[in-house]
Amino acid sequence: MESRNTNSSVFRNLDWFTVVVYVLLVLAGAVSIYAASYDFDNASILSFDEFSGKQLRWIGLSFVAGFVIMLIDFRVYEAYAYPIYIVLILLLIVTIFVAPDIKGSRSWLVMGPMSLQPAEFAKFATALALAKLFSSYNFVLNSKASNYAKALLIIFLPVVLILAQKETGSALAYMALFFVLYREGMSGLVLTAALCMVVFFVTTVKYTETMVFGIPSGELAVFFMIEALTVALIWIYCKLPSVAQILLLWFLGTGVLAWVLGLFGIEVPGLIYFLSAIGIGLVYCLINCMRHPARPILLTVAAAVFAVGFLFSVNKVFNDVLQPHQQMRIKVSLGIEDDLRGAGYNVNQSKIAIGSGGVTGKGFLNGTQTKLKYVPEQHTDFIFCTIGEEEGFLGSTAVLLLFLILILRVLSIAERQPTTFGRVYAYCVASYFIFHLAINIGMVIGLCPVIGIPLPFFSYGGSSLWGFTFLLFIMLRIDASRREHLSY
Amino acid sequence: MRKDYKLEKRKYVIGGFIVLIVLIYIVRLFNLQVMDSRYKEFADSNAFMRKTLYPSRGMIRDRNDQLVVYNQPAYDVMLIPRNVVEFDTADFCRTLEITREQFDKRMRDMKDKRLNPGYSAYTPQKFITQISAQDYGRLAEKLYRFPGFFIQQRILRQYTRPVAANVLGNIREVSQKEIDKDEYYNRGDYCGDLGVEKSYENYLRGVKGVEILMRDAYGRIQGKYENGAFDQAPVSGLDLKLSLDIDLQEYGEKLMANKIGAIVAIEPSTGEILAMVSSPTYDPRLLVGRDRGKNYAELKNDFYNRLFDRALMGAYPPGSTFKPSQGLILRQEDIITLNTAFPCYHGFISGGLRVGCHGHASPITLKPALQTSCNAFFCWGLKAMLDGKRAKYGSVADAFETWKLHLVSLGYGYKLGVDLPTEGRGFIPNAKFYNKIYGENHWSANTIISIAIGQGEILATPLQIANLCATIANRGWFITPHVVKEIQDTVMPAALLEKRYPTIDRQHFEDVAEGMRMAVTGGTCRLAALKDIEVCGKTGTAQNPHGKDHSAFIGFAPYNDPKIAICVYVENAGFGATYGVPIGSLMMEKYLTGQISPERQYLEDRMLNSNTIISSGVKKH
């Protein structure tokens, strides 16, 4: 190994583009926090009692941390991936027991004047462990079921512990790692199925008011979606176009028949009609098993049956299993209810703040909604409101695009990694960013239910900033040495 | 190094996913921030507290520029319940000089949805209204100790004299109905009630100003927005100049003390009402301030119904004051000439019917009939018109309709359109009315003969009777009577300036005026005669089902250049000459000469000191 791993070569090979985007985001975040916590009476940017002052200190420290990460040999992260993961898992366990109760959550480790959230640091540890697992010798995700089990264990261990700390939002962020599994070979059908479940869920829960054929219009729409999906699976997945066409004709024919009968005033009982339409269709598919490869057809039929079962359980699960406040959050984000004094208050106020920004915004420190503290959590989870109000459509779009650039850059860095470890790790980084960006902004602009997760680099708090800095800079450190692998 | 190119393509799925999400979010942001303007309005109503600055209400003067109604500041203690934190209740009560019990009761009442339907913990609520300036001073000093409480300045009306309550009206808090109807009003605002305060509300109230304050999510005021650059100063209401002569009004109210009835005095050439007395009346100051509610309830249930404006709303049989109008119609319709004489043997006797009369020469013509107030003449006249002119009118009913239309043109039977909110229309029957009672063609002049002398079904308001008098004084036209002479910086509505011409020729008015002049010089109204002023008059004595006859008088003066036309109506006071004539002539004398001559002083004393309530239909005292 003749390559001298000098600092100069690390900094020469460092992806400075990402660093610049990172610095831009962090500084924009600092400015936003200053604006969000700006007080008319007390305007001192350097006062450490103020959020912005504290955050500036955190930012300075995170730059130092980024520099230190650069100085450490890249092999350390791979070599110590599991120990780091285990230490963080232990920290999470300890946290459950020693953390004080802050607003119902037990996720903060208080050490003197500082308090840290181990859940934020467990992110990069989990990414390291997952990358280590995938880089182990001859590891192919799809080759053995036990490989899935190991990967899921690494992901779900922190999830369970963080859920125990009552930090649902942070725990959900680990679900983003399914993107990594997908990239590494997990069937696309899993993500498709997840997407279908979300769509079915939203449609069923949202459109319960109007009744068609005696069943809610949402459920009716999902019925049609299930029929369409079954046809698509038979056609594309089972590669049986002729069967799919007959199935399609059958579904269309029965649909039109029910509609025409309806026109003549004959009410077709919706439930019986659809169960028989889908049932007969599926039986027809099963008959084809005799002449064609049975496995894909059986899987398709199973998926369709599962989907119908899911459909019937959605409303029950929604009403009986979810907590009332969770139901309310979902209803608010789906626009079913406007609970403006309760669950909808945050989202409504944040929409008002953002909406009042206009094209160019009200100008730095001129936002009335955020200044006058209408938006709760405005310097943490709802920090994007300040940008929306003061910098307007242009400013908030710029921030979104900056994040998009960062994520796409991370994806391209991931794909240029010579090692599986580097690639998987970088994909983990991208996935976390995707999830946080999509959920946080989606919640602030009222497109997602309120899930309390921070906007990376913007939301106030050292743990989140440090967690994401570690995550990003370890990736940059590994990337900076990518050429050294080629010299093996 | 193993590379799976099939799997590598999945980076496009993941990359595409986040690109799609960001695109959706940008579209959403575009909708929220650029397309939808509602959020800006929400933001404003959120962060800006628009504090209303109340304008000063227009002042009211009389025709001689004497101040009648002006403003006085008052202070309401308000609170926003949600913003109230724990405070020293004892100190608060001491400051406002109320007891703990009163404090608790006030809080309970405020939160009681039945007593205060507009209650909300988030909006300003009234705690105590109209505290004194001293209480205000003490509270203002300590207000910082009671978060959530604030003081709202109000304007109260004050009156220079306790007169003309029925004309002036008063102000009160707006009702929910008014808030719904007029977006100017908000809960707790004041508006005019009754009188010119109500009918000229839109001029008097001015334009509210606004002060834009910034308010945080807890409702705390954070200062003025942009240092008040967007504030709007209130615009004061417009002053009114009444046509009333407040001295004459006061004199009229004094003369009417202890009597039930009304006086309306009009300047004939302008239609301006010089005095409008409704008796018994009340002190307008009763309806100001904290006791308004209590006093209003008392007045509302008052035995004499003081809030009822008899001058405008009272529907009285006009009695003999109706005769001039009869003379006008009979002449216009050519039923009589000036020389037509009807017999009067102490009354009108026809078909077993008898309407009594008093002693005077017989037969008699129009002018002497007016002079002596002969009942028989007008009965015969009406009979001649209704029964004797079949060829001209066709039927009794058609003749009657002609008669009615003349009266309507003289201002009877319908509202005149005075600039006050409540006006009665009196009652003039039409043919249909009698058809209903007696059946078609089953009635004739004899059936309804009492209407010829202003009895029977005929009812008129004192304002209508006074207006008839003004029309005669003008010899054939009138201007809609009104109480406001000028509105500051504003042109008076045309309807209050235009002459209205009844369907009767000028010459006939001249004749009737002459008859009324004769009544003063040598007839029923001799008491009305004034030195150096040619007064015209007509008495009225109206029978009524409530007791003693009503005493009425109409008159105008001077004969050739009338400055004042008047109607006096005193309930249950007997002959027109006993109360109506003296009061009416005293009013005219006071207005025209500014004083009462010594030889008429006895008349004034008698009127000021007499009490006719005791003989009124209202028997309980």
Side-chain angles (χ1 to χ4, degrees):
Chain A
M1 202 170 18
E2 59 282 308
S3 102
R4 303 284 300 151
N5 188 12
T6 59
N7 291 342
S8 64
S9 78
V10 166
F11 288 105
R12 201 173 330 115
N13 289 323
L14 180 60
D15 190 71
W16 284 104
F17 182 84
T18 308
V19 175
V20 168
V21 175
Y22 164 80
V23 171
L24 281 177
L25 284 170
V26 167
L27 291 183
V31 169
S32 305
I33 286 172
Y34 179 67
S37 53
Y38 180 77
D39 194 318
F40 290 114
D41 307 325
N42 189 358
S44 157
I45 195 166
L46 290 172
S47 161
F48 280 0
D49 299 332
E50 282 299 304
F51 289 127
S52 50
K54 267 189 177 175
Q55 187 72 6
L56 274 185
R57 194 168 54 176
W58 285 114
I59 289 171
L61 286 173
S62 67
F63 285 169
V64 173
F67 185 74
V68 170
I69 285 168
M70 285 298 135
L71 298 181
I72 298 171
D73 191 295
F74 73 99
R75 294 176 198 85
V76 169
Y77 302 111
E78 188 165 357
Y80 290 96
Y82 285 142
I84 293 173
Y85 179 71
I86 289 164
V87 166
L88 261 299
I89 290 295
L90 290 175
L91 208 54
L92 285 176
I93 294 171
V94 170
T95 307
I96 299 173
F97 296 103
V98 303
D101 192 324
I102 299 173
K103 288 189 209 159
S105 121
R106 297 180 171 277
S107 61
W108 295 88
L109 270 187
V110 182
M111 293 170 289
M114 270 206 328
S115 43
L116 286 175
Q117 224 177 350
E120 293 297 334
F121 295 96
K123 279 200 182 91
F124 84 87
T126 309
L128 283 175
L130 202 62
K132 178 80 175 173
L133 174 70
F134 276 85
S135 66
S136 52
Y137 181 70
N138 231 357
F139 184 92
V140 177
L141 187 59
N142 280 334
S143 63
K144 278 188 288 190
S146 67
N147 287 349
Y148 270 108
K150 286 175 193 163
L152 292 179
L153 179 70
I154 288 175
I155 296 172
F156 277 99
L157 195 53
V159 169
V160 170
L161 294 174
I162 296 169
L163 280 177
Q165 299 170 359
K166 305 244 173 0
E167 274 290 316
T168 321
S170 298
L172 281 177
Y174 288 81
M175 295 298 118
L177 296 177
F178 274 86
F179 282 125
V180 181
L181 300 187
Y182 169 68
R183 168 60 184 86
E184 295 304 318
M186 183 182 73
S187 169
L189 288 176
V190 176
L191 289 185
T192 312
L195 184 69
C196 286
M197 280 167 76
V198 171
V199 172
F200 289 179
F201 179 81
V202 169
T203 316
T204 316
V205 172
K206 182 160 184 175
Y207 302 101
T208 50
E209 292 300 313
T210 44
M211 306 290 277
V212 181
F213 296 132
I215 56 173
S217 56
E219 291 187 19
L220 182 84
V222 173
F223 264 122
F224 284 126
M225 286 186 223
I226 294 171
E227 287 185 347
L229 272 172
T230 312
V231 171
L233 281 173
I234 293 288
W235 196 316
I236 298 160
Y237 177 62
C238 308
K239 302 188 179 65
L240 296 170
S242 56
V243 176
Q245 281 160 13
I246 291 169
L247 205 57
L248 183 63
L249 280 177
W250 162 248
F251 286 149
L252 282 179
T254 48
V256 170
L257 182 69
W259 178 61
V260 169
L261 285 177
L263 283 187
F264 286 101
I266 302 163
E267 270 296 291
V268 182
L271 210 57
I272 296 168
Y273 156 65
F274 276 104
L275 285 181
S276 48
I278 286 189
I280 292 170
L282 292 182
V283 168
Y284 170 72
C285 294
L286 288 175
I287 290 168
N288 276 284
C289 286
M290 289 185 272
R291 288 187 287 143
H292 301 285
R295 203 176 116 91
I297 298 176
L298 285 174
L299 278 172
T300 303
V301 171
V305 170
F306 176 77
V308 172
F310 178 77
L311 171 61
F312 282 116
S313 55
V314 162
N315 274 322
K316 189 165 172 52
V317 168
F318 182 75
N319 291 324
D320 298 344
V321 178
L322 290 183
Q323 302 281 322
H325 76 271
Q326 291 168 328
Q327 288 179 20
M328 191 48 95
R329 284 179 177 187
I330 291 171
K331 280 182 177 174
V332 166
S333 68
L334 294 180
I336 302 169
E337 280 189 38
D338 281 343
D339 179 14
L340 296 187
R341 289 261 168 239
Y345 177 81
N346 293 10
V347 175
N348 186 51
Q349 292 296 344
S350 86
K351 271 158 63 181
I352 289 175
I354 293 177
S356 65
V359 179
T360 54
K362 298 176 184 170
F364 183 54
L365 300 185
N366 281 337
T368 50
Q369 300 302 291
T370 42
K371 289 301 155 299
L372 298 170
K373 307 199 169 35
Y374 279 91
V375 185
E377 306 296 332
Q378 55 177 314
H379 55 280
T380 58
D381 294 348
F382 282 85
I383 187 73
F384 192 69
C385 294
T386 311
I387 304 160
E389 188 183 13
E390 299 195 344
E391 313 305 331
F393 175 68
L394 297 180
S396 40
T397 304
V399 168
L400 270 177
L401 291 178
L402 213 52
F403 269 111
L404 181 63
I405 289 168
L406 177 74
I407 290 166
L408 293 179
R409 183 70 181 185
V410 171
L411 286 177
S412 86
I413 288 174
E415 288 299 342
R416 78 185 182 198
Q417 293 307 308
T419 63
T420 307
F421 180 78
R423 183 180 69 239
V424 171
Y425 182 80
Y427 260 103
C428 288
V429 175
S431 304
Y432 285 131
F433 278 117
I434 290 173
F435 187 87
H436 274 258
L437 182 71
I439 297 296
N440 182 281
I441 309 275
M443 141 185 113
V444 171
I445 60 181
L447 289 179
C448 295
V450 174
I451 297 170
I453 63 169
L455 184 62
F457 310 132
F458 276 79
S459 292
Y460 171 77
S463 301
S464 157
L465 178 62
W466 276 35
F468 282 109
T469 303
F470 283 14
L471 195 66
L472 192 67
F473 275 80
I474 290 172
M475 182 201 76
L476 288 175
R477 179 65 192 88
I478 294 166
D479 177 61
S481 295
R482 65 186 182 278
R483 289 177 213 287
E484 291 171 35
H485 270 281
L486 297 175
S487 59
Y488 277 123
Chain B
M1 190 60 227
R2 167 177 49 83
K3 265 242 175 199
D4 188 333
Y5 289 101
K6 208 179 145 205
L7 285 182
E8 196 186 328
K9 281 186 191 154
R10 289 188 169 183
K11 70 182 178 191
Y12 296 117
V13 176
I14 296 171
F17 174 76
I18 187 61
V19 169
L20 186 69
I21 292 277
V22 169
L23 276 180
I24 291 171
Y25 286 4
I26 288 176
V27 169
R28 169 74 166 184
L29 283 171
F30 187 76
N31 265 330
L32 278 178
Q33 300 186 293
V34 184
M35 302 304 287
D36 198 336
S37 61
R38 282 179 308 155
Y39 290 101
K40 282 163 205 67
E41 289 157 28
F42 290 150
D44 289 353
S45 63
N46 240 347
F48 298 136
M49 179 168 131
R50 302 170 73 85
K51 189 179 170 197
T52 307
L53 301 173
Y54 286 94
S56 136
R57 198 172 169 87
M59 292 198 268
I60 302 177
R61 293 185 167 78
D62 87 335
R63 65 187 293 115
N64 301 315
D65 288 317
Q66 293 197 66
L67 189 61
V68 180
V69 185
Y70 60 101
N71 297 317
Q72 191 187 42
Y75 307 93
D76 290 354
V77 180
M78 315 279 291
L79 77 163
I80 298 176
R82 204 176 92 110
N83 297 346
V84 174
V85 296
E86 232 160 87
F87 64 98
D88 185 348
T89 322
D91 185 22
F92 185 82
C93 291
R94 245 193 335 273
T95 310
L96 282 179
E97 291 182 328
I98 54 173
T99 63
R100 182 63 203 246
E101 288 71 43
Q102 285 172 314
F103 175 87
D104 291 338
K105 181 175 169 7
R106 199 44 218 117
M107 279 290 180
R108 263 201 317 279
D109 289 353
M110 186 184 74
K111 287 178 184 163
D112 189 334
K113 285 264 183 196
R114 276 168 307 168
L115 295 173
N116 183 12
Y119 179 76
S120 152
Y122 295 91
T123 58
Q125 299 292 322
K126 276 200 178 131
F127 183 69
I128 296 184
T129 55
Q130 296 157 15
I131 57 170
S132 68
Q134 292 94 313
D135 285 351
Y136 165 72
R138 272 203 308 276
L139 182 64
E141 220 168 82
K142 291 186 182 175
L143 201 60
Y144 71 95
R145 291 190 209 166
F146 313 118
F149 284 89
F150 64 97
I151 297 174
Q152 171 96 57
Q153 189 173 338
R154 288 277 173 201
I155 283 161
L156 289 187
R157 290 304 237 182
Q158 264 324 331
Y159 302 84
T160 52
R161 305 184 204 188
V163 296
N166 56 322
V167 177
L168 298 172
N170 55 85
I171 59 173
R172 61 162 165 78
E173 247 179 70
V174 287
S175 66
Q176 187 59 46
K177 229 163 89 191
E178 283 154 337
I179 296 172
D180 296 341
K181 219 167 62 188
D182 188 341
E183 59 182 25
Y184 178 90
Y185 298 118
N186 290 316
R187 182 174 297 288
D189 284 1
Y190 282 80
C191 72
D193 189 28
L194 305 174
V196 292
E197 294 276 18
K198 179 165 187 179
S199 54
Y200 287 87
E201 165 73 8
N202 290 357
Y203 299 99
L204 288 168
R205 68 187 181 188
V207 181
K208 283 191 265 192
V210 68
E211 190 178 31
I212 303 174
L213 300 170
M214 291 204 290
R215 172 176 63 177
D216 69 12
Y218 309 103
R220 294 178 304 212
I221 301 302
Q222 301 282 326
K224 278 190 160 200
Y225 178 64
E226 299 275 309
N227 282 323
F230 296 98
D231 291 2
Q232 283 170 331
V235 180
S236 297
L238 302 176
D239 292 348
L240 294 185
K241 184 174 186 172
L242 296 182
S243 63
L244 288 194
D245 180 323
I246 204 68
D247 295 325
L248 187 66
Q249 175 78 22
E250 187 172 28
Y251 186 61
E253 290 187 12
K254 273 189 195 153
L255 291 174
M256 287 298 283
N258 297 319
K259 302 169 192 70
I260 300 175
I263 304 174
V264 178
I266 297 175
E267 184 176 72
S269 61
T270 58
E272 289 167 10
I273 296 172
L274 300 169
M276 189 154 79
V277 177
S278 170
S279 184
T281 186
Y282 57 96
D283 185 343
R285 292 165 193 172
L286 286 175
L287 297 184
V288 173
R290 272 155 95 167
D291 294 331
R292 183 186 193 280
K294 193 186 86 195
N295 291 339
Y296 186 82
E298 265 171 32
L299 284 174
K300 188 108 190 140
N301 299 321
D302 179 61
F303 187 72
Y304 299 111
N305 202 356
R306 286 161 206 265
L307 285 175
F308 180 75
D309 190 342
R310 289 172 166 79
L312 278 180
M313 306 279 289
Y316 295 112
S320 300
T321 65
F322 198 58
K323 286 173 184 164
S325 68
Q326 295 307 290
L328 292 170
I329 296 169
L330 295 177
R331 284 291 294 119
Q332 180 70 23
E333 290 295 313
D334 267 332
I335 310 297
I336 56 168
T337 67
L338 284 179
N339 299 318
T340 307
F342 290 118
C344 175
Y345 308 106
H346 289 272
F348 166 82
I349 298 155
S350 164
L353 193 74
R354 185 191 142 89
V355 178
C357 194
H358 31 86
H360 55 73
S362 171
I364 193 164
T365 58
L366 174 62
K367 286 175 194 172
L370 285 171
Q371 180 184 15
T372 57
S373 197
C374 172
N375 287 340
F377 180 88
F378 294 99
C379 293
W380 284 118
L382 185 68
K383 188 171 169 64
M385 180 170 173
L386 297 186
D387 295 353
K389 291 279 180 179
R390 289 290 155 88
K392 185 173 176 186
Y393 299 113
S395 68
V396 176
D398 291 339
F400 185 78
E401 280 300 300
T402 308
W403 177 85
K404 186 208 82 180
L405 287 176
H406 281 304
L407 277 172
V408 168
S409 82
L410 286 164
Y412 279 53
Y414 290 91
K415 291 178 181 181
L416 279 166
V418 69
D419 55 346
L420 286 170
T422 47
E423 188 189 353
R425 57 181 283 191
F427 184 70
I428 300 293
N430 56 16
K432 246 192 243 156
F433 176 84
Y434 287 120
N435 284 342
K436 219 170 175 179
I437 296 178
Y438 304 110
E440 228 166 297
N441 300 325
H442 283 83
W443 55 279
S444 66
N446 279 5
T447 329
I448 60 170
I449 200 68
S450 55
I451 65 169
I453 54 169
Q455 297 280 165
E457 290 79 16
I458 303 291
L459 294 172
T461 66
L463 180 75
Q464 285 170 330
I465 302 172
N467 185 60
L468 174 75
C469 184
T471 313
I472 297 167
N474 284 334
R475 314 296 200 264
W477 55 270
F478 68 93
I479 292 175
T480 306
H482 51 277
V483 293
V484 171
K485 190 177 165 69
E486 283 168 23
I487 308 168
Q488 182 189 356
D489 304 330
T490 309
V491 180
M492 287 295 291
L496 299 183
L497 299 171
E498 280 164 6
K499 287 183 181 175
R500 291 163 67 175
Y501 290 91
T503 51
I504 289 167
D505 298 338
R506 181 185 166 86
Q507 175 53 40
H508 308 313
F509 283 98
E510 203 65 67
D511 300 333
V512 167
E514 202 184 326
M516 286 173 67
R517 174 70 190 132
M518 285 157 64
V520 175
T521 52
T524 50
C525 306
R526 279 183 303 261
L527 263 179
L530 298 176
K531 214 170 113 189
D532 304 330
I533 299 172
E534 292 182 296
V535 178
C536 306
K538 179 76 202 75
T539 51
T541 306
Q543 292 169 359
N544 67 84
H546 307 295
K548 210 168 158 182
D549 290 349
H550 295 326
S551 168
F553 169 74
I554 60 173
F556 63 90
Y559 177 46
N560 285 318
D561 179 22
K563 295 275 183 257
I564 181 170
I566 197 166
C567 162
V568 178
Y569 207 101
V570 188
E571 289 182 31
N572 309 106
F575 293 116
T578 347
Y579 283 96
V581 176
I583 291 174
S585 66
L586 286 168
M587 287 289 282
M588 286 193 279
E589 185 179 12
K590 181 85 175 176
Y591 179 70
L592 294 172
T593 68
Q595 58 190 4
I596 302 302
S597 58
E599 64 267 25
R600 285 167 55 82
Q601 208 70 57
Y602 79 97
L603 211 52
E604 184 183 40
D605 292 343
R606 195 206 290 167
M607 287 306 118
L608 289 175
N609 298 323
S610 57
N611 185 333
T612 66
I613 288 188
I614 46 171
S615 49
S616 78
V618 183
K619 289 295 178 203
K620 287 172 262 168
H621 296 289

